[in-house]
Amino acid sequence: MPRKQHFETTAIHAGQEFDPSTGSIIPPIYQTSTFVQDGIGGFRGGYEYARGGNPTRTSLETLLAALEGGKHAFSFSSGLAAEDALLRAALEPGDHVVLGNDVYGGTHRLIDKIHSKSGILNDTVEMMDLHAVQKAVVPGKTKILWLETPSNPLMKISDIGELAEIGHAAGAIVVVDNTFASPYLQKPLSLAADVVVHSTTKYLGGHSDVLGGAVVLNDAELASKVGFQQFAAGAVSGPMDAWLTVRGIKTLAVRMDRHSANAQAIAEHLVGHPALDRIYYPGLESHPGHELAKTQMSGFGGMISLGLKAGPKAARKFAESTKVFQLAESLGGVESLIGYPSEMTHASVKGTALEVPDNIIRLSVGIENVDDLIDDLDRALPRR
Ligand SMILES: *Cc1c(COP(=O)(O)O)cnc(C)c1O
């Protein structure tokens, strides 16, 4: 048996065979909507119409499945489009979903505002509290247990293996949004989760130049339902978007190493800063999820949140004062971003149980030189 290929190698080669007709080392971008047939039904390579399949999308899906260690992957035009397809595929009217209480705000909105109209019920729960999760799932009724670890923006770490056990005992599938960690740092399917979803817009794409999403799973029956949603509702990734995402993924490993190293250095530098009452970064030993993160992740990632002692006004001012960290939504790109979740990424959950503290700012630490990043934060933070 050959030894299992390492992640970095797979990230560059899975689904990326050179073009046999020209030798082009990079598979071409199949910028086409349809495929000529050799007589009716005579498809070359199985391709018929690009909503159903396009070789550039296939190359991305092959790569995503290989990286997450799943049998099937489907790519979509955005993370939320991927989540929507999964929810439609897995749920029937009357089914119940249990969500972490700080999942991505758009995920909660999608289920609570849109799928609720088809009779889908939901409850949110603290995923670090296994007893609370046990109480929240309704055997036979709860069909999805949906979690995000590390969570956004409070960087909570929840135990994928334990939660999978609780979900499975109740007859639910366990879905992990792996956007923050990326498959380089965490592989939920190997920890007994059933489905991984991604906003590939973030670390996988990695360059803030493309939107996308993915669903990765092993179960053939659910996979065929997700594939049907992708085809029948049509929120597919276009060839250019799929290609850009593949191009980004090739450097995922080196980028994640640098994101993690920079974030670790920044978090350590800020420990004890008089303007901060809390640093939310799982790489710090003082973080309540540090030990658990060490067991289910191979690094701590590039996301840090900071709580400002002086409250929301100081937090807003800080977010508007950095120069290298640019004020913008999103995360996971090579450039550093700063955001004020309560009015930006998490505005949609204001006034709900998912509301985030208003003294928090969130950093997506990029791969610039860390000294420049530290200087920038030091200059923008209040002195006390
Ligand atoms: C951005 C994000 C999403 C949504 O993805 P889009 O590509 O913006 O639709 C879902 N989950 C997490 C954790 C995200 O950060």
Side-chain angles (χ1 to χ4, degrees):
M1 270 283 277
R3 205 166 47 151
K4 200 174 161 300
Q5 196 176 63
H6 292 94
F7 186 95
E8 296 86 337
T9 311
T10 304
I12 291 170
H13 293 288
Q16 308 308 313
E17 292 73 27
F18 70 87
D19 174 32
S21 63
T22 61
S24 165
I25 189 159
I26 300 301
I29 305 169
Y30 288 86
Q31 192 69 51
T32 188
S33 61
T34 193
F35 300 85
V36 174
Q37 305 181 13
D38 299 315
I40 296 168
F43 308 128
R44 298 191 173 197
Y47 294 101
E48 178 176 7
Y49 179 66
R51 175 160 35 74
N54 172 298
T56 313
R57 193 169 94 218
T58 305
S59 96
L60 170 59
E61 291 174 337
T62 305
L63 179 57
L64 289 167
L67 294 183
E68 286 288 359
K71 290 200 183 89
H72 311 277
F74 300 90
S75 83
F76 293 86
S77 54
S78 73
L80 284 175
E83 295 183 8
D84 183 49
L86 172 65
L87 292 164
R88 289 169 195 251
L91 298 174
E92 299 288 341
D95 286 349
H96 179 235
V97 179
V98 172
L99 292 160
N101 63 5
D102 63 348
V103 293
Y104 179 72
T107 302
H108 180 257
R109 181 177 56 201
L110 174 66
I111 296 171
D112 196 55
K113 298 276 191 288
I114 297 183
H115 285 268
S116 59
K117 290 186 186 170
S118 335
I120 303 302
L121 308 167
N122 80 81
D123 279 302
T124 57
V125 66
E126 171 54 66
M127 286 288 170
M128 293 191 307
D129 181 348
L130 297 177
H131 288 290
V133 178
Q134 193 94 56
K135 284 217 292 225
V137 295
V138 187
K141 201 96 178 100
T142 304
K143 293 295 161 59
I144 292 184
L145 182 63
W146 188 295
L147 59 127
E148 220 176 291
T149 177
S151 74
N152 176 17
L154 298 180
M155 306 303 295
K156 292 187 218 163
I157 306 295
S158 46
D159 192 323
I160 297 173
E162 294 277 358
L163 289 166
E165 234 171 80
I166 295 173
H168 293 157
I173 58 166
V174 176
V175 178
V176 177
D177 182 333
N178 203 28
T179 299
F180 266 40
S182 90
Y184 180 61
L185 299 182
Q186 174 171 279
K187 294 186 190 58
L189 299 180
S190 75
L191 299 165
D194 302 287
V195 184
V196 168
V197 298
H198 274 287
S199 170
T200 58
T201 311
K202 315 294 169 49
Y203 285 108
L204 287 163
H207 296 74
S208 307
D209 53 9
V210 61
L211 285 176
V215 175
V216 188
L217 71 173
N218 281 316
D219 183 73
E221 195 185 325
L222 183 57
S224 102
K225 291 183 182 171
V226 173
F228 179 73
Q229 286 296 331
Q230 186 194 42
F231 170 68
V236 296
S237 24
M240 190 68 203
D241 288 0
W243 185 85
L244 277 169
T245 306
V246 165
R247 133 87 95 113
I249 288 172
K250 291 178 189 179
T251 55
L252 179 67
V254 288
R255 284 187 286 109
M256 290 313 292
D257 282 340
R258 176 67 81 87
H259 283 298
S260 300
N262 280 0
Q264 186 74 35
I266 288 171
E268 284 173 9
H269 173 80
L270 292 177
V271 169
H273 192 291
L276 301 175
D277 66 7
R278 223 168 132 183
I279 300 173
Y280 303 81
Y281 185 66
L284 292 177
E285 270 173 39
S286 58
H287 186 283
H290 179 71
E291 288 305 319
L292 176 57
K294 279 204 302 200
T295 68
Q296 64 184 20
M297 302 175 76
S298 58
F300 303 106
M303 298 301 296
I304 305 179
S305 290
L306 303 172
L308 274 87
K309 261 188 208 156
K313 252 181 93 180
R316 295 178 73 115
K317 182 150 185 280
F318 172 43
E320 291 172 349
S321 304
T322 52
K323 299 269 181 320
V324 183
F325 281 86
Q326 298 173 88
L327 180 65
E329 308 231 352
S330 201
L331 62 113
V334 292
E335 61 285 295
S336 292
L337 299 179
I338 190 166
Y340 182 54
S342 132
E343 303 239 337
M344 294 171 66
T345 46
H346 289 62
S348 71
V349 293
K350 244 192 157 163
T352 74
L354 282 75
E355 189 169 41
V356 298
D358 61 5
N359 71 325
I360 299 267
I361 70 102
R362 191 186 78 179
L363 304 176
S364 171
V365 177
I367 63 171
E368 300 96 336
N369 185 291
V370 72
D371 294 338
D372 296 332
L373 299 179
I374 288 176
D375 280 353
D376 192 38
L377 296 172
D378 280 347
R379 258 190 271 266
L381 270 171
R383 303 269 169 266
R384 59 207 174 82

Short mmCIF file of all heavy atoms in Angstrom, two decimals, residues 77-81 83 103-104 106-107 148 150 152 177-180 197-202 211-213 330-331 362, ligand 1:
data_model
loop_
_atom_site.label_atom_id
_atom_site.label_comp_id
_atom_site.label_asym_id
_atom_site.label_seq_id
_atom_site.Cartn_x
_atom_site.Cartn_y
_atom_site.Cartn_z
N SER A 77 -22.56 28.78 -5.68
CA SER A 77 -22.19 30.17 -5.96
C SER A 77 -21.87 30.98 -4.70
O SER A 77 -21.30 32.06 -4.80
CB SER A 77 -23.33 30.84 -6.72
OG SER A 77 -24.54 30.68 -5.99
N SER A 78 -22.24 30.48 -3.53
CA SER A 78 -21.87 31.16 -2.28
C SER A 78 -22.01 30.14 -1.15
O SER A 78 -22.61 29.07 -1.34
CB SER A 78 -22.78 32.36 -2.00
OG SER A 78 -24.07 31.92 -1.61
N GLY A 79 -21.48 30.50 0.01
CA GLY A 79 -21.62 29.62 1.17
C GLY A 79 -23.09 29.41 1.52
O GLY A 79 -23.51 28.29 1.83
N LEU A 80 -23.86 30.49 1.49
CA LEU A 80 -25.27 30.36 1.85
C LEU A 80 -26.04 29.54 0.82
O LEU A 80 -26.97 28.80 1.18
CB LEU A 80 -25.91 31.73 2.05
CG LEU A 80 -25.52 32.38 3.39
CD1 LEU A 80 -26.09 33.79 3.49
CD2 LEU A 80 -26.00 31.54 4.57
N ALA A 81 -25.68 29.62 -0.44
CA ALA A 81 -26.33 28.79 -1.46
C ALA A 81 -26.05 27.31 -1.17
O ALA A 81 -26.93 26.45 -1.32
CB ALA A 81 -25.83 29.16 -2.86
N GLU A 83 -25.43 26.02 1.83
CA GLU A 83 -26.19 25.66 3.03
C GLU A 83 -27.67 25.46 2.67
O GLU A 83 -28.32 24.52 3.16
CB GLU A 83 -26.06 26.78 4.08
CG GLU A 83 -24.63 26.92 4.57
CD GLU A 83 -24.50 27.98 5.66
OE1 GLU A 83 -25.53 28.50 6.15
OE2 GLU A 83 -23.35 28.29 6.03
N VAL A 103 -23.55 30.62 15.65
CA VAL A 103 -23.25 30.29 14.25
C VAL A 103 -23.28 31.59 13.43
O VAL A 103 -23.81 32.61 13.87
CB VAL A 103 -24.27 29.31 13.62
CG1 VAL A 103 -24.16 27.94 14.26
CG2 VAL A 103 -25.68 29.85 13.66
N TYR A 104 -22.71 31.50 12.26
CA TYR A 104 -22.73 32.62 11.31
C TYR A 104 -24.16 33.18 11.23
O TYR A 104 -25.13 32.43 11.05
CB TYR A 104 -22.27 32.10 9.95
CG TYR A 104 -22.27 33.13 8.86
CD1 TYR A 104 -21.32 34.15 8.85
CD2 TYR A 104 -23.22 33.10 7.85
CE1 TYR A 104 -21.32 35.10 7.86
CE2 TYR A 104 -23.22 34.05 6.85
CZ TYR A 104 -22.28 35.05 6.86
OH TYR A 104 -22.28 35.99 5.87
N GLY A 106 -25.83 34.70 9.04
CA GLY A 106 -26.58 34.40 7.82
C GLY A 106 -27.15 32.99 7.81
O GLY A 106 -28.18 32.73 7.19
N THR A 107 -26.48 32.07 8.51
CA THR A 107 -26.99 30.69 8.61
C THR A 107 -28.27 30.69 9.43
O THR A 107 -29.27 30.09 9.06
CB THR A 107 -25.93 29.79 9.28
OG1 THR A 107 -24.74 29.83 8.50
CG2 THR A 107 -26.42 28.35 9.40
N GLU A 148 -20.46 25.20 14.51
CA GLU A 148 -19.35 25.92 13.91
C GLU A 148 -18.26 25.96 14.97
O GLU A 148 -18.51 26.43 16.08
CB GLU A 148 -19.84 27.35 13.65
CG GLU A 148 -19.40 27.98 12.38
CD GLU A 148 -20.05 29.34 12.23
OE1 GLU A 148 -21.28 29.42 12.04
OE2 GLU A 148 -19.32 30.34 12.33
N PRO A 150 -13.86 26.72 15.19
CA PRO A 150 -14.12 27.81 16.12
C PRO A 150 -15.32 28.63 15.65
O PRO A 150 -15.56 28.75 14.46
CB PRO A 150 -12.84 28.66 16.06
CG PRO A 150 -11.80 27.80 15.45
CD PRO A 150 -12.51 26.84 14.58
N ASN A 152 -17.91 32.11 15.53
CA ASN A 152 -17.74 33.45 15.00
C ASN A 152 -18.69 34.40 15.71
O ASN A 152 -19.89 34.20 15.61
CB ASN A 152 -18.08 33.37 13.50
CG ASN A 152 -18.04 34.70 12.81
OD1 ASN A 152 -17.48 35.66 13.31
ND2 ASN A 152 -18.66 34.77 11.64
N ASP A 177 -19.85 23.62 10.01
CA ASP A 177 -19.38 24.70 9.14
C ASP A 177 -17.90 24.86 9.43
O ASP A 177 -17.50 25.33 10.50
CB ASP A 177 -20.16 25.98 9.46
CG ASP A 177 -19.78 27.15 8.55
OD1 ASP A 177 -18.62 27.17 8.05
OD2 ASP A 177 -20.60 28.05 8.36
N ASN A 178 -17.07 24.43 8.47
CA ASN A 178 -15.61 24.37 8.70
C ASN A 178 -14.88 25.55 8.08
O ASN A 178 -13.69 25.49 7.81
CB ASN A 178 -15.08 23.04 8.10
CG ASN A 178 -13.77 22.58 8.71
OD1 ASN A 178 -13.47 22.89 9.87
ND2 ASN A 178 -12.97 21.86 7.94
N THR A 179 -15.63 26.64 7.86
CA THR A 179 -15.06 27.81 7.18
C THR A 179 -13.88 28.41 7.93
O THR A 179 -12.87 28.77 7.33
CB THR A 179 -16.17 28.88 7.01
OG1 THR A 179 -17.22 28.34 6.22
CG2 THR A 179 -15.63 30.13 6.36
N PHE A 180 -14.00 28.54 9.26
CA PHE A 180 -12.95 29.21 10.03
C PHE A 180 -11.66 28.41 10.08
O PHE A 180 -10.58 28.97 10.05
CB PHE A 180 -13.43 29.50 11.46
CG PHE A 180 -14.02 30.87 11.64
CD1 PHE A 180 -14.82 31.42 10.65
CD2 PHE A 180 -13.76 31.62 12.79
CE1 PHE A 180 -15.36 32.70 10.80
CE2 PHE A 180 -14.30 32.89 12.95
CZ PHE A 180 -15.10 33.44 11.96
N VAL A 197 -19.83 21.96 5.64
CA VAL A 197 -20.14 23.04 4.71
C VAL A 197 -19.05 24.10 4.80
O VAL A 197 -18.38 24.24 5.83
CB VAL A 197 -21.53 23.70 4.98
CG1 VAL A 197 -22.65 22.70 4.80
CG2 VAL A 197 -21.58 24.34 6.35
N HIS A 198 -18.89 24.81 3.70
CA HIS A 198 -17.89 25.87 3.62
C HIS A 198 -18.43 27.09 2.93
O HIS A 198 -19.18 26.97 1.96
CB HIS A 198 -16.68 25.42 2.77
CG HIS A 198 -15.66 24.68 3.53
ND1 HIS A 198 -14.81 25.29 4.42
CD2 HIS A 198 -15.34 23.37 3.55
CE1 HIS A 198 -14.02 24.38 4.95
NE2 HIS A 198 -14.32 23.20 4.45
N SER A 199 -18.00 28.25 3.42
CA SER A 199 -17.97 29.41 2.56
C SER A 199 -16.56 29.41 1.97
O SER A 199 -15.60 29.77 2.66
CB SER A 199 -18.21 30.69 3.37
OG SER A 199 -17.93 31.81 2.55
N THR A 200 -16.43 28.98 0.72
CA THR A 200 -15.09 28.96 0.10
C THR A 200 -14.62 30.37 -0.23
O THR A 200 -13.47 30.58 -0.61
CB THR A 200 -15.09 28.11 -1.19
OG1 THR A 200 -16.07 28.64 -2.10
CG2 THR A 200 -15.45 26.66 -0.91
N THR A 201 -15.53 31.32 -0.06
CA THR A 201 -15.22 32.75 -0.16
C THR A 201 -14.06 33.13 0.76
O THR A 201 -13.34 34.09 0.50
CB THR A 201 -16.47 33.56 0.29
OG1 THR A 201 -17.62 33.06 -0.38
CG2 THR A 201 -16.30 35.03 0.03
N LYS A 202 -13.89 32.38 1.85
CA LYS A 202 -12.98 32.78 2.91
C LYS A 202 -11.60 32.15 2.72
O LYS A 202 -10.94 32.45 1.74
CB LYS A 202 -13.61 32.44 4.27
CG LYS A 202 -15.10 32.84 4.38
CD LYS A 202 -15.33 34.34 4.34
CE LYS A 202 -16.80 34.74 4.19
NZ LYS A 202 -17.75 34.11 5.09
N LEU A 211 -16.65 34.59 -4.60
CA LEU A 211 -17.62 34.01 -3.68
C LEU A 211 -17.81 32.53 -4.02
O LEU A 211 -17.75 32.17 -5.20
CB LEU A 211 -18.99 34.67 -3.83
CG LEU A 211 -19.25 36.07 -3.29
CD1 LEU A 211 -20.66 36.49 -3.68
CD2 LEU A 211 -19.10 36.13 -1.78
N GLY A 212 -18.08 31.72 -3.02
CA GLY A 212 -18.37 30.33 -3.30
C GLY A 212 -18.71 29.58 -2.04
O GLY A 212 -18.50 30.06 -0.92
N GLY A 213 -19.28 28.39 -2.22
CA GLY A 213 -19.62 27.56 -1.08
C GLY A 213 -19.54 26.10 -1.45
O GLY A 213 -19.49 25.76 -2.64
N SER A 330 -16.17 40.03 5.92
CA SER A 330 -15.48 38.87 5.38
C SER A 330 -14.17 38.60 6.12
O SER A 330 -13.81 39.31 7.08
CB SER A 330 -15.22 39.01 3.88
OG SER A 330 -15.00 37.71 3.33
N LEU A 331 -13.48 37.56 5.69
CA LEU A 331 -12.30 37.07 6.39
C LEU A 331 -11.58 36.07 5.49
O LEU A 331 -12.10 35.69 4.44
CB LEU A 331 -12.73 36.36 7.69
CG LEU A 331 -13.62 35.12 7.50
CD1 LEU A 331 -12.91 33.85 7.93
CD2 LEU A 331 -14.90 35.26 8.28
N ARG A 362 -13.39 42.21 15.61
CA ARG A 362 -12.87 40.94 15.09
C ARG A 362 -11.76 41.20 14.08
O ARG A 362 -11.90 42.08 13.23
CB ARG A 362 -14.02 40.18 14.41
CG ARG A 362 -13.67 38.75 14.06
CD ARG A 362 -14.78 38.09 13.25
NE ARG A 362 -14.75 38.53 11.86
CZ ARG A 362 -15.61 38.10 10.92
NH1 ARG A 362 -16.58 37.28 11.24
NH2 ARG A 362 -15.50 38.53 9.68
C1 LIG B 1 -19.14 33.91 5.19
C2 LIG B 1 -19.64 32.73 5.93
C3 LIG B 1 -20.74 32.01 5.48
C4 LIG B 1 -21.57 32.43 4.28
O1 LIG B 1 -20.85 32.32 3.10
P1 LIG B 1 -21.06 33.25 1.82
O2 LIG B 1 -20.02 32.77 0.89
O3 LIG B 1 -20.89 34.67 2.26
O4 LIG B 1 -22.46 33.01 1.35
C5 LIG B 1 -21.10 30.88 6.20
N1 LIG B 1 -20.43 30.48 7.30
C6 LIG B 1 -19.36 31.18 7.76
C7 LIG B 1 -18.65 30.69 8.98
C8 LIG B 1 -18.93 32.31 7.10
O5 LIG B 1 -17.89 33.00 7.58
#
